[in-house]
Amino acid sequence: MIRAAIVAAPIDVAGLLDEVTAECTGATTCFVGTVRDVNDGRAVTGIEYSAYAAMAIEEMTRIGTEARAQFGDVRIVIEHRVGTLGLRDVSVAIAVSHARRAPALDAQRFAIEELKRRVPIWKCEHYVDGDRQWVDPTAIASDAPAVARGGQ
Amino acid sequence: MIRAAIVAAPIDVAGLLDEVTAECTGATTCFVGTVRDVNDGRAVTGIEYSAYAAMAIEEMTRIGTEARAQFGDVRIVIEHRVGTLGLRDVSVAIAVSHARRAPALDAQRFAIEELKRRVPIWKCEHYVDGDRQWVDPTAIASDAPAVARGGQ
Amino acid sequence: MTELQVLLFASYAEAFGASAVTVSVPDRGTVEDVVAALRVLPGGHVLPARPLVSVDRRYAPGAVPVHAGQEVALIPPVAGG
Amino acid sequence: MTELQVLLFASYAEAFGASAVTVSVPDRGTVEDVVAALRVLPGGHVLPARPLVSVDRRYAPGAVPVHAGQEVALIPPVAGG
């Protein structure tokens, strides 16, 4: 069981947990990303998320498929929110379940790491001083897959 | 921030997630244990949990303290339920948050592994055939801390 | 001799038919002495070679001294989660 | 020549001032040709040496051929989560 979505409304984390939990599962994990008040030393007031929704949904679904191939029969739901979020708002939630805890924990970590590495979603941070800036993780250290890079 | 509890009522997982999430945190994780329909090949109808509540709370609090020493300034809440639970009911929930995801994920795994290894909680499984049995993980492989064993 | 109350839980409570029993141990006795005294009670045959014991809510190795007034418990194999 | 619409997002949409642009690439052109055509447009100076490109919603290396009717997008450095 895999489901992925890009949503504009607040994410119902408890609903996702309930969705993946079944009578045959014994361990459910959840990763929740929230908007933090400081990034790289600058005071943040909010984050504007945007996505290439059609591809993001496909890429998140592929991550779910890979997680099942690597960690066994996990049930996984990934939702990422877009739009303007305030401090403490949930930007992403990944719920994973399995009969046993190790695969659920492994798949949870795999899914958030892969999501951050390759799902086409962007964030523009808004700062206390009124400035705004698109976050570019590759400006620090490139961790995008080399094979996936186009251009010359 | 550390809180641990043994509870008789259903665990409010969303409430725990909200409790640990703060403006200074960016990653919140949750581990949820639920009653599974099969254990060791036997069909389970429910599990009766009991605890040495006073010591369990202290031991879970110590696990939280150790997690903070090892993984940094995590916020952690652990609740374990006692009483008779049916399939899919939540037996334990561990919510952890941190500014960044790696410490939150590491502390989450540490906490559930330690809880299973040393917190004085017991479960009696009830089976479809009417039988019941106290679960003894040491009957398979002893993983209790040698130093902690009394007796001769 | 010192009289100590020992808390019992789960499978041990069922085996001993009580949620606590009182045992006598030598003055300056240890956790090992508590276990030896429990072992000879009705139900004591279920105890493993080296059962877990807690003193004042912490696991205590066999050599730890026990005193009247401490909270002593015999801990069955734990199975939380 | 083949005309292709290229989807733009986030910082790239702002740099090019549009959410999509149309470029002409040689017949039997590749992802590399698309990038070269984008680079000379107003705003194209913001592109890194090897920007990410997707074709039909999958990341595509520079040598991948592109055809009319495919869904091509220029992907800024991703920052989800």
Side-chain angles (χ1 to χ4, degrees):
Chain A
M1 179 261 188
I2 303 172
R3 189 174 67 77
I6 296 290
V7 300
I11 295 173
D12 172 16
V13 178
L16 302 195
L17 282 162
D18 194 59
E19 184 178 345
V20 297
T21 301
E23 294 196 347
C24 62
T25 64
T28 302
T29 64
C30 194
F31 179 88
V32 177
T34 54
V35 176
R36 193 153 59 97
D37 58 5
V38 175
N39 191 24
D40 281 338
R42 296 186 75 177
V44 172
T45 58
I47 296 182
E48 191 190 326
Y49 281 93
S50 64
Y52 177 7
M55 179 173 165
I57 292 167
E58 290 190 12
E59 200 68 24
M60 292 190 293
T61 304
R62 285 191 279 269
I63 290 169
T65 303
E66 291 166 21
R68 288 176 57 86
Q70 278 189 54
F71 306 110
D73 188 21
V74 293
R75 297 163 58 87
I76 180 165
V77 174
I78 308 177
E79 288 197 358
H80 202 297
R81 191 173 168 194
V82 291
T84 301
L85 277 65
L87 301 184
R88 266 182 120 268
D89 283 350
V90 173
S91 55
V92 61
I94 300 173
V96 182
S97 72
H98 190 272
R100 312 195 74 83
R101 68 187 180 281
L105 290 163
D106 289 341
Q108 171 199 36
R109 184 181 289 244
F110 170 81
I112 182 60
E113 297 298 336
E114 288 301 300
L115 183 149
K116 288 194 167 257
R117 196 173 71 85
R118 60 192 243 209
V119 177
I121 299 171
W122 303 278
K123 59 181 164 196
C124 186
E125 288 183 339
H126 295 244
Y127 304 103
V128 167
D129 60 15
D131 195 14
R132 65 192 276 281
Q133 188 176 289
W134 291 98
V135 174
D136 178 2
T138 65
I140 304 155
S142 173
D143 59 355
V147 69
R149 293 185 166 275
Q152 46 278 21
Chain B
M1 179 261 189
I2 302 173
R3 189 174 68 76
I6 296 290
V7 299
I11 296 173
D12 173 15
V13 177
L16 301 195
L17 282 161
D18 194 61
E19 182 178 348
V20 297
T21 301
E23 295 196 346
C24 63
T25 64
T28 301
T29 63
C30 194
F31 178 88
V32 177
T34 54
V35 176
R36 192 153 57 97
D37 57 6
V38 174
N39 191 24
D40 282 338
R42 296 186 76 177
V44 172
T45 57
I47 296 182
E48 191 190 326
Y49 281 92
S50 64
Y52 177 6
M55 179 172 164
I57 292 167
E58 290 191 10
E59 199 68 24
M60 292 190 293
T61 304
R62 285 192 278 269
I63 289 169
T65 304
E66 292 167 18
R68 288 175 58 85
Q70 278 190 53
F71 306 109
D73 189 20
V74 292
R75 298 164 57 88
I76 181 166
V77 174
I78 308 177
E79 288 197 357
H80 202 297
R81 190 171 168 196
V82 291
T84 301
L85 277 65
L87 301 185
R88 265 182 121 268
D89 283 351
V90 173
S91 55
V92 61
I94 301 174
V96 182
S97 72
H98 189 271
R100 312 195 73 84
R101 68 186 180 282
L105 289 163
D106 289 342
Q108 171 200 35
R109 186 181 287 247
F110 171 81
I112 182 60
E113 297 298 336
E114 289 300 300
L115 183 147
K116 287 192 167 257
R117 199 174 69 85
R118 60 194 244 210
V119 176
I121 298 172
W122 302 278
K123 59 181 165 196
C124 185
E125 288 183 339
H126 294 244
Y127 305 103
V128 168
D129 61 13
D131 196 15
R132 65 192 277 279
Q133 186 174 293
W134 290 99
V135 174
D136 178 1
T138 65
I140 305 155
S142 173
D143 60 354
V147 68
R149 294 184 166 275
Q152 48 278 17
Chain C
M1 299 293 277
T2 302
E3 292 227 321
L4 282 171
Q5 195 194 47
V6 179
L7 305 178
L8 300 170
F9 299 93
S11 60
Y12 292 173
E14 286 186 1
F16 287 88
S19 60
V21 292
T22 300
V23 295
S24 292
V25 295
D27 294 336
R28 294 184 185 134
T30 65
V31 164
E32 265 187 33
D33 295 316
V34 172
V35 171
L38 288 163
R39 200 179 289 287
V40 297
L41 294 181
H45 64 281
V46 303
L47 297 185
R50 302 163 69 218
L52 294 169
V53 172
S54 68
V55 176
D56 288 341
R57 304 175 185 178
R58 282 182 184 269
Y59 289 107
V64 166
V66 289
H67 310 284
Q70 284 182 317
E71 186 172 310
V72 178
L74 190 60
I75 311 284
V78 304
Chain D
M1 298 294 275
T2 302
E3 294 226 317
L4 283 171
Q5 194 193 49
V6 179
L7 305 178
L8 301 169
F9 299 94
S11 60
Y12 291 174
E14 287 185 2
F16 287 88
S19 61
V21 292
T22 299
V23 295
S24 291
V25 295
D27 294 335
R28 297 190 182 128
T30 64
V31 164
E32 265 187 32
D33 295 315
V34 173
V35 171
L38 288 162
R39 201 179 290 286
V40 296
L41 295 181
H45 64 281
V46 303
L47 298 184
R50 301 164 68 219
L52 294 169
V53 173
S54 68
V55 176
D56 288 342
R57 304 174 184 177
R58 283 182 182 271
Y59 289 108
V64 166
V66 288
H67 310 285
Q70 285 182 315
E71 186 173 310
V72 178
L74 191 59
I75 311 284
V78 303

